[in-house]
Amino acid sequence: MGLDGVYTLNPEEPLNGFLAISGPDLAHLHPERRTEIAADFADDGAQAYERYMSGELTFLGQRQVRLQRAYQMAGILSPTGERYIRWAGEYEAKVRESWRPFSDVEAFLSVLMKRDMPYGAVSNNIEEYQREKLRLAGLQGFPAS
């Protein structure tokens, strides 16, 4: 299981982050439709993350492609230029607010440490970003390999 599934308190945080930041732009839509669009963004309906992982897009670029698709689904123009940079910063800040362990993770890791059982973190994302997730979640200290 990846880091997101292990310690993100709410696995729907990308969806909630999108709605928090883009909600005003989507106010003309029925709430159900807004949620569908947010889910498409969170689930990467644009299939941009794979393009990021292959080096075709930057991290911000993949988010912008996902945002463009979401806004296209809403029938509106997506933020570009400086407006997109502001959107991306606000979205990232909102998502980072959710980076904390499930309530039982620290106790579980404590048991593993008391038993001298090794454990680690596995991710499909870049190391620096995932280490920041661990740090903000209070779970730093994994050796790099």
Side-chain angles (χ1 to χ4, degrees):
M1 183 181 299
L3 290 178
D4 292 322
V6 171
Y7 75 85
T8 299
L9 180 63
N10 182 351
E12 293 183 351
E13 198 55 43
L15 182 144
N16 295 334
F18 175 86
L19 287 172
I21 305 304
S22 294
D25 292 340
L26 307 179
H28 66 286
L29 299 173
H30 187 279
E32 221 173 81
R33 182 66 178 145
R34 287 193 298 261
T35 300
E36 289 171 3
I37 292 170
D40 184 84
F41 173 86
D43 294 338
D44 190 21
Q47 299 178 345
Y49 191 80
E50 187 172 319
R51 293 170 57 200
Y52 158 66
M53 291 302 291
S54 72
E56 183 182 340
L57 294 171
T58 64
F59 188 74
L60 282 177
Q62 63 87 23
R63 277 209 179 137
Q64 189 168 26
V65 167
R66 291 165 56 198
L67 184 66
Q68 288 168 343
R69 175 181 162 93
Y71 275 54
Q72 182 180 33
M73 291 171 69
I76 57 176
L77 295 175
S78 66
T80 59
E82 287 300 314
R83 189 168 165 242
Y84 169 68
I85 298 299
R86 275 192 313 278
W87 182 96
E90 291 173 13
Y91 175 79
E92 184 69 20
K94 190 70 174 166
V95 169
R96 285 175 182 240
E97 290 174 8
S98 71
W99 290 353
R100 56 190 165 270
F102 286 119
S103 61
D104 60 349
V105 169
E106 291 178 33
F108 178 75
L109 294 178
S110 179
V111 168
L112 292 179
M113 286 186 276
K114 286 178 184 173
R115 294 181 182 177
D116 290 325
M117 295 182 75
Y119 61 90
V122 178
S123 173
N124 66 344
N125 202 335
I126 59 174
E127 182 179 331
E128 181 182 332
Y129 193 73
Q130 298 303 69
R131 285 195 180 279
E132 182 66 1
K133 283 183 179 181
L134 289 169
R135 186 187 71 74
L136 291 173
L139 300 174
Q140 69 273 15
F142 289 94
S145 58

